[in-house]
Amino acid sequence: MAKTLIRDALIINGGRSFMGSVLIDGRHIAGVCEGDVPAGFPQQNSSREADVKIIDASGKWLLPGVIDDQVHFREPGLTHKGDIRSESRAAVAGGVTTFMDMPNTNPQTTTVEALEWKFRRASEVSAANYSFFFGGTNDNAGLIAKLDGKRIPGIKLFLGASTGNMLVDSEDSLRRFFGETDLLIAVHAEKEDIIRRNRAHYVAMYGENLDISFHPKIRSGEACYASSSEAAALAEKLGTRLHILHLSTAKELSLLDRGPLNGRRITGEACVHHLWFSDDDYRRYGNLIKWNPSIKTAADRDALRKAVADDTIAVVATDHAPHLPAEKEGGCLTAASGGPLVQHSLLAMLDMAAAGIFTPEKVVEKMSHHPADLYRIDRRGYIREGYFADLTLIDPDRPLAVSGENILYKCKWSPFEGHVFPHSVWKTFVNGVEVFSDGQLSDAVPGMEIGYNRE
């Protein structure tokens, strides 16, 4: 396989930015240099120089590919919304080179057989690297011993009935999941009885046809904190490695450990939509920004932003969850929750960085470095010699106007439609293969099952 030399980019990696070049050889990064390319990097005067493809990246930013630890790519069983092929292609167009898919498919990923099916399917069609969470239920804790921690990121538990019958509310099952495995436990934390109480209260007052403004009242901050705090208390008691997904309130931040990432037992994730929108935006966007947990106040959003900037929050992801436009119609109680984000997550974060909310180095840390470190992913998430060549080149001077013509999600809509991002993704490499370039996707399927370094 020919080598590729990406020359003279602004490399953003490891908390710093510097002018440099990166040599790709096969699937891996063969060298990283700062400043001018030295002689022999590669052998510029050798007879094999023709085997080196040179990419002039002057004026571009070179970042490690994004690792998204929470997506719903809808396969199997819900493929009218999206599938592994369509959504992974949208992902790489947005600079996302690795994803971890959630278990609420049909059938659900709650058996070893269903888990293996997803791995096989991704190996056939995925443009991005992949991994899959195992889904816990009230009835399958006995399968813990059969799970391979070198192949999966962890166990996903729904502590609020966001997705059908995957609610885990059995005390015995929770104690087994929290206490009988060293695997990371990732939770969707919303207290179901509080949600039901709130729903009944507002329906009694205003009837069933509630508009979107009631969504954060029903799926309230109280419901989130009650569930998250119970999970944190149980994790502390049993020594569980707990990761609280899609934090949406300021109050929940008090539950997270601080300090070096490798020493934290309770960590949290923020999603792009909770960092971008507030409940003031429901008037403009309506059901398009209906997610579970709900988007809450501007004060909550600002607290989450601060927690990303000061390292209280470990990672930033998407909770990418496509639905067809027709499924997003209706009232607060009937419109589907969730939306597509993975093509625009990196651009949204860089947009906020341009506004001074974060730095580009912090964006890379939260979307590439920390997911790799948190999950102990093998040789990804950094621009380092010997690591897999998962890379994205950003053009900081070419805006992207999001429109129906360039949206790649199978559902063909985005809450960002009409927005102009100040940057755009120029190229994306997955395992050394150029899968996206200047608005065009290749037909390559270079995605690989990622590995985990477990003790």
Side-chain angles (χ1 to χ4, degrees), residues 121-154:
R121 180 59 177 162
S123 72
E124 298 166 351
V125 300
S126 185
N129 303 309
Y130 50 86
S131 191
F132 300 95
F133 276 89
F134 181 81
T137 71
N138 281 333
D139 305 311
N140 71 350
L143 296 178
I144 291 173
K146 296 184 178 181
L147 302 177
D148 185 351
K150 293 183 178 180
R151 297 189 67 203
I152 66 170

Side-chain angles (χ1 to χ4, degrees), residues 197-358:
R197 183 191 70 201
N198 291 341
R199 182 188 298 117
H201 171 74
Y202 288 110
V203 167
M205 290 182 65
Y206 302 106
E208 293 279 350
N209 191 26
L210 300 172
D211 65 43
I212 187 61
S213 66
F214 287 92
H215 189 55
K217 298 179 175 69
I218 293 171
R219 289 186 172 266
S220 62
E222 178 192 11
C224 293
Y225 182 78
S227 183
S228 296
S229 59
E230 287 181 3
L234 186 59
E236 289 177 353
K237 181 177 181 179
L238 298 178
T240 311
R241 178 64 193 83
L242 176 67
H243 188 52
I244 305 174
L245 300 170
H246 41 46
L247 292 162
S248 63
T249 72
K251 191 174 182 181
E252 289 172 286
L253 300 172
S254 65
L255 303 172
L256 306 179
D257 289 342
R258 272 70 166 179
L261 187 62
N262 60 8
R264 302 185 202 182
R265 299 294 296 178
I266 300 176
T267 54
E269 167 206 273
C271 287
V272 170
H273 49 284
H274 290 121
L275 297 171
W276 184 279
F277 299 106
S278 75
D279 60 0
D280 293 334
D281 294 309
Y282 285 121
R283 288 189 296 272
R284 176 180 177 186
Y285 295 97
N287 293 337
L288 295 181
I289 61 169
K290 184 189 178 195
W291 275 275
N292 297 341
S294 64
I295 289 167
K296 298 184 174 66
T297 68
D300 287 310
R301 179 199 62 194
D302 293 347
L304 293 171
R305 289 175 170 180
K306 181 177 183 297
V308 169
D310 70 14
D311 292 330
T312 301
I313 286 176
V315 301
V316 171
T318 63
D319 194 17
H320 173 88
H323 297 284
L324 296 185
E327 296 170 323
K328 295 293 286 183
E329 295 176 355
C332 166
L333 302 182
T334 56
S337 293
L341 282 172
V342 75
Q343 186 182 348
H344 303 108
S345 58
L346 176 58
L347 293 181
M349 290 296 291
L350 291 175
D351 195 333
M352 287 185 273
I357 297 168
F358 313 115

